[in-house]
Amino acid sequence: GKLEPALHAVLEEKGPNDEVKVMIWLTPIDLESVLVRLAAKHPQIRRNSERPMDVDDPALADAIAADYRELLAQAHLAREQGLVAFLQAQGYEVTTYRSIPAVVAALPKRLIERIARRADVSRIYLTGKLIRPALDSAVPTDRVPEVWGRGIEGSGIQIAIVEDGKVENHQWVNVIATRQIPLGITDHATWSAGIAAGSHPIYKGVAPDADIISAPTYGTTDDVVTAIDWGVDQGADIIN
């Protein structure tokens, strides 16, 4: 269903009129229509460009980026409008966001269950708790699945993870090279690699087909540069 497990567990203990603070994610905006509007305003944008800001004039690139952010914000607010009007008409206070298609409100259990049946709602989360990001919810907020839908998942790309420890090479992260210095595996280095290129079927990273180069460093300026140089020598396309 559309209720996250933590929220479902809380609602099991609530009565129909007991209120719970929730974050309601709407279905994704139509990114293609945003790009069409952006191209209409800036005909200098290269056709079929993955990054509309990739133009030769830096000032124009900044202007395109600013307009892109504003068009995205308008699209998010427009997507939220129907649900917001529905809730406000019943007297509920709603917090809206320009950067993501989501709203927050304290609602009774009966209304949360009703909203979960709406076609424009994709997921409802318990809020007011400490955030523990999970890639199944975090990655889609950057519209990564739309890039995956174009067949781009990092194949042939190598990402160097420059951290204060080594990346653990396990079944969901493909480490193809590790700088051999006397530092151990660290959670943060492995988490960073997982976010960049984890291939777990549920908690998938941004570029799940990419390879990882583990470039641990002692953290001094000269050794960070040495680690970056080593990563580039190994064929890194991206330095993290």
Side-chain angles (χ1 to χ4, degrees):
K2 297 180 181 179
L3 305 179
E4 69 148 337
L7 174 59
H8 184 271
V10 168
L11 292 179
E12 286 287 292
E13 305 297 323
K14 299 292 184 180
N17 295 314
D18 291 337
E19 290 192 353
V20 177
K21 192 173 184 181
V22 293
M23 174 173 277
I24 305 164
W25 280 79
L26 286 300
T27 51
I29 62 172
D30 183 358
L31 184 58
E32 288 299 326
S33 68
V34 170
L35 292 174
V36 167
R37 292 175 63 193
L38 187 65
K41 188 169 185 178
H42 296 284
Q44 304 92 333
I45 294 174
R46 297 185 180 97
R47 183 173 296 181
N48 298 324
S49 173
E50 293 294 336
R51 281 180 50 83
M53 293 74 74
D54 285 345
V55 294
D56 297 329
D57 182 348
L60 177 60
D62 289 343
I64 292 173
D67 287 336
Y68 188 31
R69 288 192 295 269
E70 181 57 30
L71 288 171
L72 287 172
Q74 292 175 11
H76 289 145
L77 292 172
R79 178 54 51 91
E80 299 162 11
Q81 187 174 15
L83 179 60
V84 170
F86 170 75
L87 294 175
Q88 289 180 338
Q90 300 182 65
Y92 295 103
E93 183 177 337
V94 183
T95 301
T96 62
Y97 300 93
R98 290 168 53 85
S99 59
I100 57 174
V103 303
V104 168
L107 304 172
K109 173 181 176 179
R110 56 178 172 75
L111 190 54
I112 293 171
E113 293 173 338
R114 179 179 174 186
I115 288 171
R117 296 193 290 270
R118 289 177 61 110
D120 60 347
V121 169
S122 63
R123 192 79 163 158
I124 307 177
Y125 293 89
L126 179 67
T127 190
K129 59 180 181 177
L130 292 177
I131 295 174
R132 298 187 63 184
L135 292 181
D136 59 329
S137 57
V139 168
T141 66
D142 287 328
R143 299 181 291 280
V144 173
E146 296 173 22
V147 179
W148 293 340
R150 299 178 185 182
I152 302 171
E153 295 195 14
S155 178
I157 299 299
Q158 298 178 3
I159 303 171
I161 304 296
V162 180
E163 280 274 358
D164 61 355
K166 297 174 182 176
V167 176
E168 179 183 359
N169 189 9
H170 59 81
Q171 61 178 328
W172 306 122
V173 176
N174 186 33
V175 180
I176 60 172
T178 299
R179 184 184 180 213
Q180 294 305 314
I181 62 174
L183 287 177
I185 291 169
T186 63
D187 288 343
H188 195 272
T190 304
W191 291 339
S192 297
I195 292 168
S199 60
H200 189 277
I202 297 175
Y203 305 109
K204 189 156 63 170
V206 173
D209 289 345
D211 296 319
I212 292 295
I213 295 170
S214 178
T217 173
Y218 296 116
T220 61
T221 301
D222 57 335
D223 194 62
V224 169
V225 175
T226 299
I228 291 172
D229 270 355
W230 179 86
V232 171
D233 288 343
Q234 303 305 308
D237 302 289
I238 298 168
I239 304 293
N240 180 83

